[in-house]
Amino acid sequence: EARTIYTEAGAGYSARWIATDQITCGSQSRSIVITAEGKRYFSDYPKEEVSVAAKDGEIWATDQERSYKLSREGDIFYNPLLSPNQKLVVYEGLGTGLYVSDLCGEICIHLGKGNHPAWAPDSGRIFFDRSQDDGSNLTASDIFMVDLAQLSTETNLTANFAGIAQRSSVSPDGRYVAFDAEGKIFAADLEQRADEVREIRITRRTE
C-alpha cells in the first residue's frame, strides 16, 4: 500500500534509501531525511560552491563565507573526497573506516572498514578497498562497491581475483572500474560479470 510521507512544495525528487529505515529526497532549498517513524530531518543546501580538506585530524568544508567542521569526534580523519554533484563528501577515519556526510554535517553515515574511496560519476555509489595485513605487509585486499540507496548491501568486485587489489577509479561513464594490484592495472566491466577483470597493458611511446 502506497502512502504519502512528505508534501512540502517542490519536494520529492531524487528519493533514495540511505538506511533500512531512512529515505532522503531533495526539495528546492534543502535535503530531507525521513525515518520509518515519520520523523524528519533537514539540511539546507550550501549556497556557494564548497571545498573540503583535512585539518588536524578533522574534516572541514569551506565556502565563500565560512569554514565549518563536518567530521564527528572519536577518530583522526583524513582524505576527504567531494562527490561529483558536490552534495556529499566521503572521508577516512584512521581506526574506524569510511564515512559519508552531507555538506552541512548533519547527516553522517558510517560505511565501515575501507580505504581509498572513489565516487561513481552519478554520486550514488562509492568504491573502496578493504585490506588485511600481518602487521607489516598486506596479505589480501579487495575492491568493494556500495550503493548509497542500499547501504545494507556491499558488492565485492574482486572476490575471484587472486591479487591484492587497491585504489579503484571509475570511468566517466560509470561502466568500468580500474584498480592496481602488484604493479599492474586491471579493469572490471560493471555491466558484465563484476568478478571478471582484465589487465590493462600500458605501452610507452618511444620517439
Side-chain angles (χ1 to χ4, degrees), residues 75-95:
D75 203 350
I76 297 173
F77 300 104
Y78 62 101
N79 191 27
L81 186 63
L82 197 61
S83 63
N85 65 7
Q86 299 191 353
K87 294 182 179 180
L88 300 169
V89 59
V90 60
Y91 55 90
E92 300 183 46
L94 186 62

Side-chain angles (χ1 to χ4, degrees), residues 1 21 44 48 77 83 106 115 117 127 129 133 144 155 166 172:
E1 179 182 351
D21 62 345
D44 292 336
E48 305 289 347
F77 300 104
S83 63
E106 297 183 13
N115 296 101
F127 297 76
D129 54 71
D133 63 70
F144 287 82
T155 302
Q166 292 183 285

Side-chain angles (χ1 to χ4, degrees), residues 13-14 45-46 82-89 101-104 123:
Y13 66 86
S14 298
Y45 292 142
L82 197 61
S83 63
N85 65 7
Q86 299 191 353
K87 294 182 179 180
L88 300 169
V89 59
S101 173
D102 70 339
L103 287 183
C104 295
S123 300

